[in-house]
Structures are given as C-alpha cells and as structure tokens.
Amino acid sequence: MFGCTTLNLGCLGGVMLNAPAHNPCKPFLIPSKKPLPLLNSWKPIGSWKSSFSVKTAVAAVDSSDPTETEEQAEKKKTYHFLVANAKFMLDEEEHFKELLAERLRLYGERDKEQDFWLVTEPKFLDNFPNITKRLKRPAVALVSTNGTWIKFMKLRLDRVLQHSFEAENLEEALASNPVNLEFEKPENWTAPYPKYEYGWWEPFLPPKTSSV
C-alpha cells in the first residue's frame, strides 16, 4: 500500500475536505470566497494614515523655518583685532604706519571698501579681562573683518595681543571711549627716517558716525 502525505493548503485560500474513498491521496479543494491578503499588500488605513501624513508635513515645514536665535546669529559679524598700548602702536612701532598706508592705497586702486580701522580705547575690551590686565593704557586696537590679514599683522608687529569678537553692526564694533593721546618727543632721534608726525593715524580711525 502506498503512503500519502497531506499538505496544508490553507495558506492558498482553500478549505480541506475529506478525500474520496477511491483515492485518499487527492483531497478536494473548494476555493474560499475571501482569500487571505498578502503581507506586502498591507497599507495604513483610516485615521492613523491621516495623522501620519499631517505630522510628516508639519515636521517638514518646521525644519525649514529658521529659529529666532539663528536669525540673530546671521546678523552678527566677526571682527578680529590686535591691541597694544597706544605709545607702542602709534609712536614706537617703525613699520605700522607704512603697512596701513600701503593697504589703504591698494584698496583705493582696486576700488575696495575699507575693512580695517584703528580704535583708541575700544569699548569691546571690557569683554576681555584677561587681555586688559596685561595691557597698559591708553590702548589702541587694529580691528578688521579680515582674519587672515590680522594674523599677518600679528607676525609683523609681534608685541601685540590678538583676539576676535562678534557685533551686530560696525558702530557697535568700533565704539570707543574718549581719550587724550600724548607722546613725549625723544631728545635724540637717531633713526635714518623722520619721526612719525602726531596724528598720522587719523585717516584710519572709524567714520565719525561710528565713534561713540
């Protein structure tokens, strides 16, 4: 007698009936009216689907909207500076005047807007106590939006302190405290070039509207 193996065909949507007596190995299958759905055809339905779509859309809109903090950060600009006491910067350093004058001349030839200034007793120094405690007063700062050039000037001037800060506008960045600069004239001037004239730095001061 030959053996038979009965297969479970329920997953095919059929219903197993008793096999006929003359051939027990061939069961009859009657198709089901409602076949079982395939797993990969399942989709979210009803309110859950609607909620998912709304949340996704809201998240997409929120992610593209800048926050108030980001807007404020975009308005601020970074200013780089070198600072030292006024006598060194304006009366003793041998190359400072020539370096600034040459850069200003170059900007004029290229029709480029000036991006560097000299600030006497700058107000932003109040935010740098570690610098002010090492600084003789009155102080003068060379301020620029060009960080690469400030690094170059640091190497040329050497005995200056370097840092940077952020400000919302030029007026805030270049604000200064009133100060009267006075330098004693040396009794004997031995250098092969004439001594700097008092006030040579005035063309490099901030615009009058920026001085506070």
Side-chain angles (χ1 to χ4, degrees):
M1 182 177 180
F2 296 97
C4 298
T5 302
T6 302
L7 299 178
N8 183 4
L9 303 178
C11 62
L12 299 178
V15 178
M16 183 74 73
L17 295 180
N18 293 331
H22 64 277
N23 192 353
C25 294
K26 293 184 179 180
F28 289 103
L29 293 176
I30 299 177
S32 174
K33 294 182 179 180
K34 295 183 179 180
L36 297 176
L38 298 178
L39 292 177
N40 58 5
S41 65
W42 180 85
K43 295 181 180 180
I45 58 176
S47 60
W48 186 88
K49 180 179 180 181
S50 301
S51 176
F52 177 83
S53 301
V54 171
K55 290 182 179 180
T56 303
V58 171
V61 173
D62 291 343
S63 62
S64 61
D65 291 338
T67 63
E68 183 178 355
T69 303
E70 291 173 343
E71 290 178 352
Q72 294 175 350
E74 289 179 357
K75 293 180 181 179
K76 291 186 177 182
K77 181 179 292 186
T78 301
Y79 294 85
H80 307 266
F81 69 89
L82 303 176
V83 65
N85 67 81
K87 182 168 179 57
F88 170 74
M89 293 283 275
L90 306 179
D91 191 57
E92 295 180 350
E93 219 297 318
E94 297 180 359
H95 309 291
F96 194 35
K97 177 184 176 181
E98 284 74 14
L99 289 169
L100 296 185
E102 175 62 21
R103 189 166 184 82
L104 191 61
R105 181 192 64 79
L106 183 64
Y107 275 34
E109 291 180 354
R110 298 182 178 180
D111 195 23
K112 184 176 180 180
E113 185 178 357
Q114 183 175 341
D115 61 359
F116 64 97
W117 304 269
L118 287 176
V119 184
T120 57
E121 277 297 303
K123 288 187 176 182
F124 65 75
L125 286 179
D126 295 339
N127 300 322
F128 297 93
N130 291 334
I131 288 181
T132 55
K133 68 182 181 181
R134 302 171 55 189
L135 193 61
K136 292 182 179 180
R137 312 301 280 266
V140 172
L142 174 62
V143 183
S144 176
T145 55
N146 190 327
T148 302
W149 182 67
I150 286 294
K151 291 179 181 179
F152 165 78
M153 291 297 291
K154 172 67 171 69
L155 297 176
R156 294 299 304 268
L157 301 178
D158 190 24
R159 293 183 294 168
V160 294
L161 301 175
Q162 178 184 357
H163 218 295
S164 63
F165 64 96
E166 290 185 345
E168 293 186 356
N169 52 61
L170 190 62
E171 183 176 357
E172 177 187 342
L174 305 183
S176 62
N177 295 309
V179 62
N180 183 26
L181 299 177
E182 295 182 357
F183 306 125
E184 296 181 0
K185 294 183 178 181
E187 296 181 359
N188 297 318
W189 182 257
T190 59
Y193 52 86
K195 184 154 184 9
Y196 292 160
E197 296 180 2
Y198 182 89
W200 68 262
W201 53 85
E202 292 180 358
F204 306 100
L205 294 178
K208 294 297 182 180
T209 56
S210 298
S211 298
V212 180

